[in-house]
Amino acid sequence: DAVFGNCHLLKKVDENFIIALPRERQAANLPLANNANCLQAQLALPEEVIQMLYLPAEVSLTETIRYALGTQPPLPLPDSLTASAQSAVEELLRSCLPQYHYRILPIAELPNILLSGQDIRRHLDGCERCVLLAATLGAQADTLIRRAQIIDMNRALWLDAAASAAIEAVCDAAQASLSAALHRGLTARFSCGYGDLPLAAQGTILELLDAPRKIGLTLGESGMMIPLKSVTALMGILPEGAVSDGQPLLCTRCRLYQNGCDGTRCRSSSE
């Protein structure tokens, strides 16, 4: 029950998992969260395994509209699209319980399937360690979208778009938090299905992270992650002093691009 800054320590499961809730979220009776305003556990590297509960402070309306339209939105944004996106984002954030979980490993210790392609090897070139990340909006988001599909498909479309933008916001926040904690730059996120990193490697990442037990993230028989609005990714930890340009894998290296992708699919593995 100790208070750390503006956070109240609600539960300490073990040395790897701390749940903290900002005072303002306690007063509003909002879901548990662990973000930039909360205590974050720091452990020795490279065995660090951290699980966080996180509630995005905001979700990009522009990205939500892009997902809903399936293309870059017109500028300036029409009021009608902005209103639909805002409504969907607010409804989603009231319902979902985002979590992320990561583990830091030496690249030399990664299973062969994670290094089977030349694209991922180039992406991690110059890095000695990497971060395995899994993030999910939780089953609540899937349930919300599924219920909307029965009643109002237009609302379901906007909720789905908001969820895609929200899971990216969670991943962005996790990456920024990790980079700050490590005092190192990180490469862009690289997910299974990018380039020649096979989708089959997704199960390996979930297993290494113990994701089913830690954050309830599993792989269905079809190969889809459950909950659906989830992401797994690898990020290289750059050498000291190196700074990432934050850009995703060069399209010219990617088979998706060669097969007709317009260069936007790598923005999110939740599409």
Side-chain angles (χ1 to χ4, degrees):
D1 292 335
V3 175
F4 294 83
N6 70 333
C7 300
H8 189 80
L9 182 61
L10 297 181
K11 186 176 183 182
K12 184 173 182 180
V13 178
D14 56 29
E15 292 304 317
N16 299 335
F17 185 15
I18 292 177
I19 300 176
L21 188 63
R23 290 171 178 167
E24 61 271 18
R25 293 200 182 278
Q26 295 177 54
N29 196 29
L30 293 175
L32 296 178
N34 196 324
N35 57 26
N37 296 321
C38 291
L39 176 69
Q40 299 206 7
Q42 301 297 330
L43 302 179
L45 301 178
E47 295 81 16
E48 187 169 7
V49 181
I50 301 289
Q51 180 179 354
M52 297 294 185
L53 293 170
Y54 174 80
L55 190 65
E58 61 182 27
V59 174
S60 169
L61 298 184
T62 301
E63 283 297 283
T64 299
I65 294 170
R66 183 180 73 82
Y67 282 116
L69 299 180
T71 186
Q72 291 296 333
L75 295 176
L77 294 175
D79 290 343
S80 59
L81 294 181
T82 301
S84 294
Q86 182 69 52
S87 175
V89 166
E90 290 176 355
E91 184 175 1
L92 176 77
L93 292 183
R94 286 195 298 268
S95 301
C96 69
L97 185 60
Q99 300 181 69
Y100 67 86
H101 181 56
Y102 69 83
R103 182 177 181 184
I104 295 172
L105 287 173
I107 291 174
E109 295 182 9
L110 290 178
N112 290 336
I113 190 172
L114 295 182
L115 297 173
S116 59
Q118 292 303 310
D119 292 333
I120 185 63
R121 288 181 178 273
R122 282 195 293 265
H123 193 74
L124 298 176
D125 187 40
C127 304
E128 295 183 355
R129 294 177 298 162
C130 71
V131 177
L132 300 181
L133 173 71
T136 181
L137 295 186
Q140 298 90 340
D142 286 0
T143 300
L144 181 68
I145 295 168
R146 191 163 53 246
R147 287 176 177 170
Q149 288 171 340
I150 299 172
I151 302 170
D152 184 344
M153 282 302 298
N154 184 64
R155 174 168 158 263
L157 181 148
W158 280 104
L159 287 171
D160 186 271
S164 293
I167 190 60
E168 285 301 300
V170 172
C171 290
D172 289 345
Q175 184 167 353
S177 178
L178 277 163
S179 181
L182 294 167
H183 304 289
R184 296 286 184 90
L186 299 174
T187 68
R189 297 188 294 275
F190 197 112
S191 293
C192 300
Y194 288 14
D196 55 8
L197 181 61
L199 282 171
Q202 198 128 251
T204 301
I205 295 177
L206 296 180
E207 182 179 352
L208 287 170
L209 290 173
D210 194 15
R213 186 173 69 89
K214 295 292 187 180
I215 59 174
L217 181 54
T218 63
L219 204 61
E221 292 183 2
S222 66
M224 297 286 288
M225 286 189 289
I226 303 172
L228 293 176
K229 292 302 179 180
S230 303
V231 168
T232 60
L234 291 88
M235 295 173 283
I237 301 174
L238 297 171
E240 188 172 1
V243 179
S244 171
D245 61 8
Q247 296 300 312
L249 176 71
L250 290 174
C251 288
T252 52
R253 297 180 182 175
C254 182
R255 289 187 298 177
L256 294 176
Y257 183 78
Q258 296 165 7
N259 291 332
C261 173
D262 62 2
T264 63
R265 289 185 61 180
C266 289
R267 299 290 294 277
S268 172
S269 62
S270 61
E271 290 184 285

